[in-house]
Amino acid sequence: MSQMNMIQAIRSAHDIMLEKDPSVVAFGQDIGYFGGVFRCTDGLQQKYGEHRVIDAPIAEGGIVATAIGLGINGLRPVVEIQFADYIYPGFDQIVSELSRLRYRSAGDFFAPVTIRTPCGGGIRGGQTHSQSPEGIFTHLSGVKTVMVSNPYDAKGLLISAIESNDPVVFFEPKRIYNGPFDGDPDKPAVSWASHPKGEVPDDYYTVPLGKAEVVEEGEDLTIITYGTIVHVAQAAAKRAGVDAEIIDVRTLMPLDVDTIRDSVNKTGRAMVAHEATRFCGYGAELVATIQKECFWHLEAPISRITGWDTPYPHAFEWQYFPVQKRLADGIRKLMEVA
Amino acid sequence: MSQMNMIQAIRSAHDIMLEKDPSVVAFGQDIGYFGGVFRCTDGLQQKYGEHRVIDAPIAEGGIVATAIGLGINGLRPVVEIQFADYIYPGFDQIVSELSRLRYRSAGDFFAPVTIRTPCGGGIRGGQTHSQSPEGIFTHLSGVKTVMVSNPYDAKGLLISAIESNDPVVFFEPKRIYNGPFDGDPDKPAVSWASHPKGEVPDDYYTVPLGKAEVVEEGEDLTIITYGTIVHVAQAAAKRAGVDAEIIDVRTLMPLDVDTIRDSVNKTGRAMVAHEATRFCGYGAELVATIQKECFWHLEAPISRITGWDTPYPHAFEWQYFPVQKRLADGIRKLMEVA
Amino acid sequence: MTKKPKLHIPQPTARPGEEPDFSYLNLSEAGAVERPATDARAKSIEFLAESLVRVLDDDHVAQGPWKPDLDEDTLIEALRLMVLTRVYDDRMQRVQRQGKISFYMQALGEEAVSIGQGLAFGPEDMLFPAYRNQGLYIMRNTGLVDMMCQCLSNSRDMCKGRQMPIFYQNKENNLFTISGNLATQFPQAVGWAMGAAIKGDDHIAASWLGDGSTAEADFHYALTFASVYHAPVVLNVINNQWAISTFQGVAGGERRSFAARGLGLGIPGIRVDGNDLLAVYAVTRWAVERARSGGGPTLIELVTYRGGAHSTSDDPTRYRPRNEWAAFPLGDPVERLKQHLIKNGSWSEDRHAEMETELKTTVEAAWKEAVSYGTMTEPPFLDVRLAFEDVFEEMPEHLEKQRDKLLRIRGELP
Amino acid sequence: MTKKPKLHIPQPTARPGEEPDFSYLNLSEAGAVERPATDARAKSIEFLAESLVRVLDDDHVAQGPWKPDLDEDTLIEALRLMVLTRVYDDRMQRVQRQGKISFYMQALGEEAVSIGQGLAFGPEDMLFPAYRNQGLYIMRNTGLVDMMCQCLSNSRDMCKGRQMPIFYQNKENNLFTISGNLATQFPQAVGWAMGAAIKGDDHIAASWLGDGSTAEADFHYALTFASVYHAPVVLNVINNQWAISTFQGVAGGERRSFAARGLGLGIPGIRVDGNDLLAVYAVTRWAVERARSGGGPTLIELVTYRGGAHSTSDDPTRYRPRNEWAAFPLGDPVERLKQHLIKNGSWSEDRHAEMETELKTTVEAAWKEAVSYGTMTEPPFLDVRLAFEDVFEEMPEHLEKQRDKLLRIRGELP
Ligand SMILES: Cc1ncc(C[n+]2csc(CCOP(=O)(O)OP(=O)(O)O)c2C)c(N)n1
Ligand SMILES: Cc1ncc(C[n+]2csc(CCOP(=O)(O)OP(=O)(O)O)c2C)c(N)n1
Ligand SMILES: [Mg+2]
Ligand SMILES: [Mg+2]
């Protein structure tokens, strides 16, 4: 066990898999000699060589496409897209090729590509360094989508993703790379040192794809969320003085419906929260699923607390972000519904 | 007034706008000399010249990008993407540029680009000529999204889209280009001639963006849908013998919430139907919106009838498609909920 | 807009009703183009991207330094494979017209591309074909029945009903699955080749796309990554003069050859007579040797003509002269190889006619067998459960539920 | 994997701790490169893509056929604009370090690109700058206070708080809004130029991107569409040797120049000493004249060096030698123009020092004024309602609702 922040945990997952499986290669912009702009692969090229940890040209589409080719040839590429905001040039290769390769070839061809990418705001990155585009990936048939919320899960889920023969799009909220963030921008930053999920085994372990986690048990209402907002929700529930059950979805697709259904059927009230824009965001699917599965148990409309339906504005970052106060208000309101 | 099929109605919209506004240009693969693979621009290059109706290279990203440039320079481009399945290479320019241009420049720059694209299955097109990707466009902030269901709306909405200073992604279900389709694949094809919406004014008129239409009034339940499935829903309700209110959403984003809320509050039961895959599809947003707006009036869980969460399989086209029988079964079940 | 527009709009040399005009094609004499060593410096061989490598002259005699070392049996086999491709195409085109399959695309007039190039690779080299490369599947023993069953989406369909006709695959023989999206496989082939180099293997990759498809981003990605990593890959542009209704000028062919596209990245380009099987083979072999010996990528432009419609959904008489193919100066690849062999004394009109009859019989028999495995409308059908498999390696719960729901609607589950 | 990997991995000539080595740069003597007519055929001027157009020699004397016809006042003004850019950058870099703005990017060492090129366009030519082209905004009278207010996202921010620092725009003076996404504006500029040609206007467009960005699809789209429609556009690659941590070889620069990228599409390429303002101006002027007179697009590669960090988030000492800039053979553009003017007798060290002091004072005064309109942490702030405007031309209902909800949470609405 070591204290790790999320960057170290992700680096450790790479390290273990590069060591364990000679077919694993890391590939992306600035990830080789330099170790990545967020340092997630720092030192790994030096350790495993230039043929295992490879600097790529600035062409997200080309990176995904060649990674598919590597995958077809028996390698297991772990791709970094420098910011989720820059994944779109690779979108066609993900939608039209990576996600449908196994299906269209009746299982003969597949490419076990993992695409890691930092997402989310709260770092004054403005509209092109803050996006959370998970909702357009979860709509695809044939890729799994993950968003992590802490170092322990990040390492365990990343190892699972790399080992999976299905393609995985793996979102890493950059705001919590160095420490959890409780959604109060006025408080000083904290580190992972004081968080139980900052305790990370040094060795190989996995967290399974497709399983949500109940991070707080509670009776009054259920908050279903993922990524940075997991921490915001925990703080907001405390602030609102409500005994909330909080679910970290972790794998967004395929969704662990059972965990969510059981919880909402128990509490009768549900809030869905994420940082991405609201309209047709991932939260819509959560709401649709819950209303279907838990209809007869719901005591109030399911509420959604999300980023607004605008680009992520630089100056209004904390007005855009679903901050602790906004969630706390929402929790109180949801509890007031008679 | 003339009898028009949807192709003729779309062509007429182009014709009128090319005539009326010298800044309108049509741009796309095979749309010039040839008149488009679906013939939507047939004869227009001959009429308006090669500088108004322009054949483009096979590069969807380049088409959208240069259309943005044309738009910034005061032109009003109407782009055709040959199949919605091939829009993804243009996705980055749509998401990162077209949709956010006005916002990021505080209104100084915008590009009034309309992107038309045939979508949907039912023509044995397999996984690469059948997709309905509307749900990934409706999640974007800054583009409007339309899907049409008949010739009258197609012309009126296309003119509105072209005249709009906002970018519009305009989906045309190719299955109903030549006639409405009631979701029974065993029946012979019918033409628009017998359909009231096949009567189309020859002159300029608009159908407003942002307004849904109640295409059938009814008391028992509300079906909220768009595109081809509007016709399937009408037939299915009849088949199920249920007095359904049917709403054609038409403009998917921004959504006409009022029309939907009023209807569901009246009927107490709602079904959402579309051809696209289900998970995180546009229907999820419809369900999420309805459960929020109509919670206290709902007598049964909102049901979703959609394509399955798989690519569109060539051989199993009619097993994938939400056919009339599937909708009728769903309607009956929804009415049975006590 | 009162000023005169001055945007350049590319124009084909002839439209329906006009005389075909191929004067724009820059032709070289057979045998006239020098053959550099396979390790020649890219910069020193740029002329290959502008000239046209040709081996067979107008009298069907093989000429010059590119004349390949192919024995008579191999050439006869190549001829057979070209004819087989054409007979197969013809049959499938007709069954599409009869409504037995939903769609088809011929390679009419382009048969030398797949057969000539296919001969140049080793069996472990990985090929990423485009949709007009059926010849590659045929020559790598895919089996006509299997190919037909794919087009029929029947119970023996290699794609289990998931793809439109013509989207074949053949994993065993290292042929990738064809994509409906243009150009996407081009950079994938580069990635595969990079993988071979990472693993230290000697295998190389190759991919194909059309003149029109070079405008896509994936073409650029392929060239860029191939250049940066010096990947062992052979990249091929089939310039058949037309995309769908747009001639090759709309893809930039008015100004430079497609073979020249990679020069600015240091990738050698070779322009070759795509209807001359000997030249096609020779040029490809050159690129294969170069790639295998560490010389990196080559871009080959195969100059040919799309003899038929774009697909069964297309009507070319709307946009090009009816007799354009007949006027195409590089002729018909089948006829040219046949005449060459006859000239050499290794072949005759009679043997050719005999072979054609035989191949027609073979194809006919294959079709009979293929339909015995079902058609879109006649059983045996594929099990509908297959529609839900292979989305992921293991079926997730939500797909099991959706499958079961469908089965219940169909009355196949209680 | 037991075999030895053989993938080529591009390597910079020097890493931290090693001696800088620019021997890979292919340099020409000042004055040595021929200047063809602006209507020369693309094919006949390919040499321009490989050589390096230079005007100022090592003794700061202007040499050869590219020596431009710029008068003393213009040159002094150009020097002033370059120094102003540098002083502005320096100030902004420091206020970022002090936490007053969230981010910054310098153009240190690349000032001649924006200023030299900017001089070559007409005021109605539309420019699509990249993020290191602040010089273009400065020279087209954007106003330092306005630029600073943008970086501050304050109450006078031209972007109304929506963009990170440095993403300027200036519609009035035909400067497009900068995008955070690399290369996207390149094909947009081509589209704008196509539009000008459609309208029959004489205006042309220009755009800029970095060496690293040439790998993006948009670079290919821009070249392809510019070639196909012969668009009146000047496309510029600023080769400052580095992307972030990857040297220009990772973008394909090991094999051919970036200027050569368009040759395969018939687009002339010119490689120019990007630190020689006279050469930069001359080459750009050539391309402008060519485009305006119907000669179509030109691709210019400006060879320069990124003197500073990639951005305030970067630490270049981790990946390149500390003293690389000092060793760069093309020197410092400001120093070179200054010495040229001194040599000509039109300038002196004293006047230069005076000008620097003056510009520092100007910039200092601008900063004082700018912060009076607020900072991220000090009022006056932008009205939060602005976060919801300009998503669409008119605000749709759902955004009104979201805005009001936020206002209620903030207690600004009941
Ligand atoms: C990404 C994409 N865009 C558009 C299409 C539609 N389409 C299919 S074939 C074709 C023409 C291709 O022309 P070319 O590359 O020259 O190949 P050819 O058919 O001549 O062999 C087009 C536009 C597609 N399949 N994929
Ligand atoms: C599409 C996209 N991918 C990645 C990035 C992240 N990024 C910003 S600048 C940069 C390096 C660009 O290098 P170059 O084009 O050489 O320009 P320079 O910074 O040297 O001027 C990268 C990778 C981005 N902004 N956009
Ligand atoms: Mg073609
Ligand atoms: Mg650079």
Side-chain angles (χ1 to χ4, degrees), chain C residues 220-275:
Chain C
H220 177 65
Y221 296 143
L223 294 182
T224 303
F225 283 66
S227 166
V228 169
Y229 300 107
H230 215 52
V233 65
V234 180
L235 297 168
N236 305 291
V237 179
I238 308 174
N239 180 1
N240 62 5
Q241 313 307 315
W242 291 92
I244 298 179
S245 72
T246 53
F247 83 115
Q248 47 103 34
V250 178
E254 282 187 329
R255 296 181 195 281
R256 284 295 293 274
S257 74
F258 292 92
R261 291 293 192 275
L263 298 183
L265 278 155
I267 299 177
I270 314 186
R271 193 163 163 267
V272 63
D273 178 346
N275 289 0

Side-chain angles (χ1 to χ4, degrees), chain C residues 52-265:
Chain C
L52 187 75
V53 173
R54 307 180 69 183
V55 170
L56 291 175
D57 69 13
D58 292 348
D59 298 324
H60 312 295
V61 181
Q63 302 286 5
W66 288 93
K67 186 174 154 177
D69 196 22
L70 287 175
D71 62 29
E72 184 177 294
D73 287 354
T74 308
L75 287 176
I76 292 175
E77 174 60 7
L79 183 65
R80 195 186 70 84
L81 289 166
M82 283 206 282
V83 174
L84 178 53
T85 306
R86 190 168 290 186
V87 171
Y88 174 76
D89 271 357
D90 184 60
R91 186 72 185 115
M92 298 309 281
Q93 179 89 358
R94 279 185 294 121
V95 301
Q96 196 281 336
R97 291 288 176 231
Q98 294 159 13
K100 298 261 165 68
I101 61 175
S102 58
F103 175 83
Y104 195 70
M105 287 179 112
Q106 297 178 288
L108 185 66
E110 306 178 22
E111 294 89 348
V113 171
S114 292
I115 306 304
Q117 296 206 270
L119 282 173
F121 295 97
E124 306 219 50
D125 294 336
M126 182 78 191
L127 311 185
F128 292 74
Y131 51 66
R132 239 180 273 285
N133 288 120
Q134 48 267 59
L136 289 172
Y137 292 88
I138 289 177
M139 77 164 299
R140 282 206 174 183
N141 300 316
T142 307
L144 296 179
V145 175
D146 286 326
M147 291 175 70
M148 288 166 167
C149 289
Q150 194 285 322
C151 293
L152 284 158
S153 279
N154 69 12
S155 66
R156 211 176 107 173
D157 174 8
M158 57 176 82
C159 301
K160 299 192 181 155
R162 297 182 191 137
Q163 290 247 58
M164 281 173 77
I166 75 149
F167 292 101
Y168 313 110
Q169 70 207 33
N170 184 337
K171 184 174 183 192
E172 206 184 319
N173 295 322
N174 295 311
L175 289 156
F176 192 59
T177 148
I178 302 176
S179 177
N181 300 66
L182 295 170
T184 46
Q185 76 287 355
F186 231 54
Q188 292 168 4
V190 173
W192 194 99
M194 288 168 61
I198 289 171
K199 295 197 285 184
D201 287 347
D202 285 332
H203 313 316
I204 68 169
S207 189
W208 286 261
L209 49 64
D211 47 304
S213 304
T214 60
E216 291 285 8
D218 285 315
F219 180 69
H220 177 65
Y221 296 143
L223 294 182
T224 303
F225 283 66
S227 166
V228 169
Y229 300 107
H230 215 52
V233 65
V234 180
L235 297 168
N236 305 291
V237 179
I238 308 174
N239 180 1
N240 62 5
Q241 313 307 315
W242 291 92
I244 298 179
S245 72
T246 53
F247 83 115
Q248 47 103 34
V250 178
E254 282 187 329
R255 296 181 195 281
R256 284 295 293 274
S257 74
F258 292 92
R261 291 293 192 275
L263 298 183
L265 278 155

Side-chain angles (χ1 to χ4, degrees), chain D residues 76-94:
Chain D
I76 291 175
E77 173 62 9
L79 182 66
R80 195 187 70 84
L81 289 166
M82 284 207 285
V83 174
L84 178 54
T85 306
R86 190 167 290 185
V87 170
Y88 174 77
D89 271 356
D90 183 61
R91 186 72 185 118
M92 298 309 281
Q93 179 88 357
R94 278 185 294 121

Side-chain angles (χ1 to χ4, degrees), chain D residues 30-31 33 35 53-57 60-76 78 112 115-117 119-120 272-273 276-287 289 336-337 340-341 344:
Chain D
V33 179
R35 183 183 186 280
V53 173
R54 308 180 68 184
V55 170
L56 292 175
D57 69 13
H60 312 295
V61 180
Q63 302 286 3
W66 288 93
K67 185 175 154 178
D69 196 20
L70 287 174
D71 61 28
E72 184 178 294
D73 286 354
T74 309
L75 287 177
I76 291 175
I115 306 304
Q117 296 207 272
L119 283 173
V272 62
D273 177 346
D276 172 347
L277 181 121
L278 298 179
V280 167
Y281 170 80
V283 153
T284 310
R285 191 74 207 167
W286 186 96
E289 280 170 24
R336 284 174 70 194
L337 184 58
H340 171 64
L341 287 168
N344 275 4

Side-chain angles (χ1 to χ4, degrees), chain A residues 22 30 50 60 125 309 314-315, chain D residues 1 11 102 153 161 216 245 402:
Chain A
D30 300 297
E50 296 191 313
E60 293 74 11
D309 285 323
H314 179 253
Chain D
M1 246 160 288
Q11 296 293 349
S102 58
S153 280
E216 292 284 8
S245 72
Q402 294 183 9

Side-chain angles (χ1 to χ4, degrees), chain C residues 3 6 197 201-202 256 261, chain D residues 3 6 46 197 201-202 264:
Chain C
K3 285 176 262 179
K6 49 189 180 185
D201 287 347
D202 285 332
R256 284 295 293 274
R261 291 293 192 275
Chain D
K3 285 177 262 179
K6 50 189 180 184
E46 294 205 346
D201 287 347
D202 286 333

Side-chain angles (χ1 to χ4, degrees), chain A residues 245 257-267 294:
Chain A
E245 182 139 312
V257 178
D258 293 345
T259 300
I260 295 171
R261 183 201 308 108
D262 292 351
S263 175
V264 177
N265 280 349
K266 177 179 77 174
T267 62
C294 313

